[in-house]
Every structure is written in structure tokens, then in C-alpha cells.
Amino acid sequence: MLANSHDIAVLAGDGIGPEVMEATLELLRAVEQKHGISLAFTATRAGAFCYKETGTDLSDEAFERAARADAILLGAMGWPGIRRADGTEIAPQITLRQRLDLYAGVRPIRAIPGTPAVLAHPRAKEIDFVILRESTEGLFFSKDQGIVSADWAEETLRLTRRTTERLARTAFRLAAHRAAQRGRPGRVTLVDKANVFRAFAFMREVFAPIAAEHPDIAYDQHYVDAMALDLVRRPWAFDVLPMENMFGDILSDLGAGLIGGMGFAPSADLGDTHGLFQPSHGTAPDIAGQGVANPTACMLSAAMMLEWLAMKGGGQRLLDAATDIREAVDHAFAEGLRTPDIGGGAGTVAATRAVISALRRRPG
Ligand code: ATP
């Protein structure tokens, strides 16, 4: 490996995971050439079909491989017909989040210029906010360990001070970064249900002193039910939205719906040392194997990966490469690219070609 090469563990996974990953790796190879960066990809097997064939969805070796890499790029994992003996889904991506302490799920929701607007409002094209989903605790704390008796069932929601503080710090850092990039003030809106649950009053209490350290960033709170309404009524009004795990799970799908569907929604799962990047979508069994999956979300996740590597000291070229991917995607759609999920005819291969062609034509 070259001294300045970045070691990327690639976990393509199941369903449309390998399809969007192949497209993304092709784009990344073009990006490497254009920007003079070096990425060393190591394909690592994990997921539902891996479980079916080998009895494990994420071997120790695969976990170590992912943990050692500079970054992890993941397609999608899980399959409806493949379950554990207790009936639960195969989801090694959740295991990775837990074991690598990837507490911050960063899910940008940005309307891509040129794509048909989902909302009729003229400001719909301004949609550009980020859902920051806490990804290791909240209502997922008792995942697989909820108690079910004949007459009642119970799950536990847990928020720790340590993770909530780190989430708050990530929110304000992200808002400052976005404000500098966009040349406008930043804003953090904590999404909770503090009017009903004491756990969310605790969350507000933890956020308050950290917000006070950032007088340049506006800070407010919004109840989750009101936020569901406002994300449909005026989504352009928001910037960075930190929230509990389950709320983030739900509102990030709503967010994806605002910009054309899951095929447009990238994500990053970040911890203090590790970063995992994957499209927000699942394995989409309804369209897997048909060559129609939209690779945009995976490509934009790869751009987030390059940006994160740049901020970890990887250098300006990675940052330029990340911007180039985003702008090439925008350019391709502005030029008329239409994937099947937004009513067009460009399948995965055609969409990949259009984005790579836009990338090659853009100034270096
Ligand atoms: P999971 O529980 O793993 O999130 P899911 O079935 O609930 O899985 P997805 O797999 O994300 O959710 O699929 C939701 C819908 O979005 C499906 O109709 C699917 O076809 C569509 N979809 C998801 N990803 C894409 C994509 N990249 N391109 C086009 N359509 C997609």
C-alpha cells in the first residue's frame, strides 16, 4: 500500500448492496485517477447470504478487517427469507455500529437540482438538512432483549450522558462546518418528546451547556410529532437535527421521501475513531437483481467518506474529490439523468456512466 493510500474495507452485502457498490467503486476509480488519490479496497464478506452459507453474518476476521481499515464502505445487508433461529433479522451493520461505537448517524437530506420535486412548494428545491441519529442506544438499547410475556411486552429506552454529550458536540461541529461551507449561519434543532418523557428532558439538560459553548450557532428544540409535520410543511427551514435512535430511524425515511426516495439518501455512521459509510436504504428485495437500483445514495456516501478522511488529516485532494462527486451527481441529474425510482429509464449501469461522464467533463 502507498504511504498516502487509504485502506477501505468494502462490505457490499446483500440484494442491491453489491449492485450499488459496484457502481460506486467504478466511480471511485475514476475519482482516484482524476484527483491523484489512492484508495486500497478490500472486499469483505458479510450479511444474510453469508450467514446462510457459512453460519455467521460477520466473522471475527471480517470484523477485524473492518475495524482495522481507515474507513468502511457498506452496501446494504439483510434478506427477508433469511432469519436467525429466533426469527430476528440478519443485520451485521447494527453489530458494527454497536461494536465500533458508531454513535452518530449522519443522514444528509438534500434535494438534487434537476430531480422532480416531491413537494409542490417552490422552496422544495432548497431542502438541505441533516438528520443526526444517535445510533447505539435510545429505544434500540434493548434490541433482541426486550421482554415478552403472554400479557405484556417491554423494551427499554436508554440515553447515557456520555453518548448524548458526544452527539451534541457532533451536532454543533456539523452545523459549524455546514455554515462555513454554505456561507450562512448554522442552526441545531434537537428533536425530542420532552413534554412526555423524562429521558428527553435529560437530553435537553445535556445539550444546553454544549449549545451555550456555540453562541454563533442558533439552537432550539422541536417535539418529534411536530417535526414530522414540519418536515413535510417547511423542510427547507431546518439545518442539523439531532435525535434519539428510533426517531432518527423513522424521520430519515421521511426525509428520503422528500427528495425522491431511498436511492438519494446517503449516510455515515461515525464514532470517535471509526467511520462507516452506507446508503440509507436497505437491500430492496423488490428490485434486487433487475439492474434498476439507483446508485446515487451509495455514491454520495462515498463522497462523505472522502470528506471524513480529509478531515481526519487525509488532505485537500480528498476534500476536492468529495466535492467533485457531489457536483458530478448534481450535474448528471441537471443534464437529464432520470433513474427508475423517479420515473426514468436509466438503470444502475446507465446512471453510473452518466455520473462518471459528468465527473470527467468537470474541471479538475
Ligand atoms: P430495511 O428494513 O433494510 O431498511 P426496507 O425494505 O424497509 O429495508 P429498503 O430496502 O430501503 O427498505 O426499500 C424501501 C423502498 O425503497 C423499496 O421499494 C425499494 O425498492 C426502494 N429503494 C431502496 N433503495 C433503492 C435504490 N437504491 N434505488 C431505487 N429504489 C430503492
Side-chain angles (χ1 to χ4, degrees), residues 16 20 77 89 93 253 262-264 280-287 292-295 297 341:
I16 64 166
V20 295
M77 292 182 184
E89 277 181 35
Q93 64 277 30
D253 274 31
M262 300 305 292
F264 290 95
S280 292
H281 61 72
T283 54
D286 54 334
I287 58 163
V292 296
N294 180 354
D341 50 348

Side-chain angles (χ1 to χ4, degrees), residues 136-219:
T136 54
E137 41 188 50
L139 194 50
F140 283 63
F141 173 74
S142 60
K143 184 185 165 292
D144 299 337
Q145 285 153 28
I147 304 165
V148 179
S149 75
D151 300 316
W152 53 269
E154 184 178 280
E155 301 276 356
T156 305
L157 182 149
R158 172 170 294 187
L159 304 176
T160 64
R161 181 173 295 278
R162 177 168 181 265
T163 299
T164 307
E165 271 176 6
R166 290 189 296 166
L167 187 76
R169 293 202 184 283
T170 305
F172 284 94
R173 213 171 30 238
L174 193 58
H177 179 67
R178 287 167 54 86
Q181 263 184 340
R182 290 160 175 76
R184 50 126 184 91
R187 178 175 169 206
V188 170
T189 305
L190 175 62
V191 179
D192 62 31
K193 191 73 183 166
N195 50 338
V196 177
F197 296 103
R198 293 171 68 184
F200 294 111
F202 168 85
M203 201 172 188
R204 287 190 179 196
E205 184 200 306
V206 175
F207 263 66
I210 295 166
E213 289 169 20
H214 297 87
D216 46 327
I217 310 256
Y219 171 61

Side-chain angles (χ1 to χ4, degrees), residues 99-153:
R99 290 185 64 187
L100 296 176
D101 194 20
L102 307 176
Y103 58 87
V106 182
R107 298 171 167 202
I109 303 292
R110 181 179 67 92
I112 293 185
T115 53
V118 174
L119 299 178
H121 197 284
R123 294 194 66 188
K125 59 181 181 312
E126 295 170 34
I127 295 174
D128 181 17
F129 63 89
V130 182
I131 287 178
L132 181 59
R133 169 187 177 185
E134 194 295 309
S135 300
T136 54
E137 41 188 50
L139 194 50
F140 283 63
F141 173 74
S142 60
K143 184 185 165 292
D144 299 337
Q145 285 153 28
I147 304 165
V148 179
S149 75
D151 300 316
W152 53 269

